[in-house]
Amino acid sequence: MISPRKDHSVSAESKAKLQVLWRHIQYLVIDEVSMISKAFLARLSRNISIGKMAEGELPSCHSFGGISVILCSDFFQFLPVTCAPSEALYFPTTTVQCNREDSQTGCTIFEEFTTVVTLKEQMQVTDPIWQDFLQHLWVGQVQEKHITMLCTLVLTNQNYVETDFCLQPWNNASLITPRHGVRRIWNDTALHKHAKEMQSMVFECQAKDTIKGQPLTLAEHYATLIRHQGADAKQRKQDLPDTVRVAFEMKVMVT
């Protein structure tokens, strides 16, 4: 049982929004939960508990305000983002995390999940060779033939089987990347390729910053400019672009 923080931890406006959002919700399904940190899980539970509060009633003593929560994931996949690997839900709580309330709370909440359903049938992968590799990888029994197969997929390998990515099905294949920078480069390249092939016009849309729907004041514009000038390369990559280029029926990669 995890008691949420007192209601004064959020503003009245935020509390009202949470209550409107969660008032009638009874189930929550979290996909790719391997990417969620202990601290994030604690904050999520706390916000939902606030959202489930009714006027004049005390907050629920149950995690997530008492709603049913289903976690879906393969913990062999991505680790939590923008935090240390030790923030993974299954990772033992470290000495440093013992001093962090949210990390401790998130770990305790995760341990409340006691019913596990293991899905053994692969529905997405249809290639028999790749499916065989995944099945052996799952139980830690990768064989030499699997390593050889993987090596043939490396573009710099001299034995790499060359693929023409301009032909079907590769020219319409879905690309997946965890790297924000790759997404931007891919979108720019794909946009120009699409515009050239379709002979379509590329439109440039300039971003307009707002705060709560209102245009920025002169002082706010100045503060934004100073922030951009002082930001390092990593921080600038995380910012939203100032210009968005689009074309009719173009495909984009999102993160």
Side-chain angles (χ1 to χ4, degrees), residues 61 67 70 84 122 171 216 248:
C61 62
I67 69 173
I70 301 174
Q122 173 59 252
N171 59 345
L216 270 60
F248 182 67

Side-chain angles (χ1 to χ4, degrees), residues 1-5 45 48-50 52-54 57-67:
M1 304 293 183
I2 302 298
S3 299
R5 288 180 177 176
S45 174
I48 295 176
S49 296
I50 293 173
K52 298 298 289 185
M53 287 175 56
E57 294 183 2
L58 295 175
S60 171
C61 62
H62 297 282
S63 300
F64 301 101
I67 69 173

Side-chain angles (χ1 to χ4, degrees), residues 197-208:
E197 292 177 350
M198 303 298 295
Q199 296 184 348
S200 59
M201 185 178 297
V202 176
F203 298 91
E204 285 195 0
C205 306
Q206 297 296 325
K208 294 183 179 180

Side-chain angles (χ1 to χ4, degrees), residues 59-131:
S60 171
C61 62
H62 297 282
S63 300
F64 301 101
I67 69 173
S68 299
V69 180
I70 301 174
L71 306 181
C72 302
S73 182
D74 180 351
F75 283 105
F76 284 97
Q77 295 183 357
F78 294 121
L79 293 172
V81 294
T82 67
C83 61
S86 59
E87 270 291 314
L89 297 176
Y90 56 83
F91 202 95
T93 303
T94 63
T95 304
V96 175
Q97 291 172 335
C98 287
N99 298 323
R100 298 174 182 170
E101 180 183 350
D102 281 346
S103 293
Q104 280 189 303
T105 302
C107 183
T108 305
I109 292 175
F110 181 63
E111 291 174 349
E112 293 181 8
F113 291 86
T114 56
T115 302
V116 179
V117 178
T118 303
L119 304 180
K120 297 183 178 180
E121 185 178 0
Q122 173 59 252
M123 303 298 293
Q124 293 179 318
V125 178
T126 57
D127 183 272
I129 297 178
W130 191 253
Q131 193 171 54

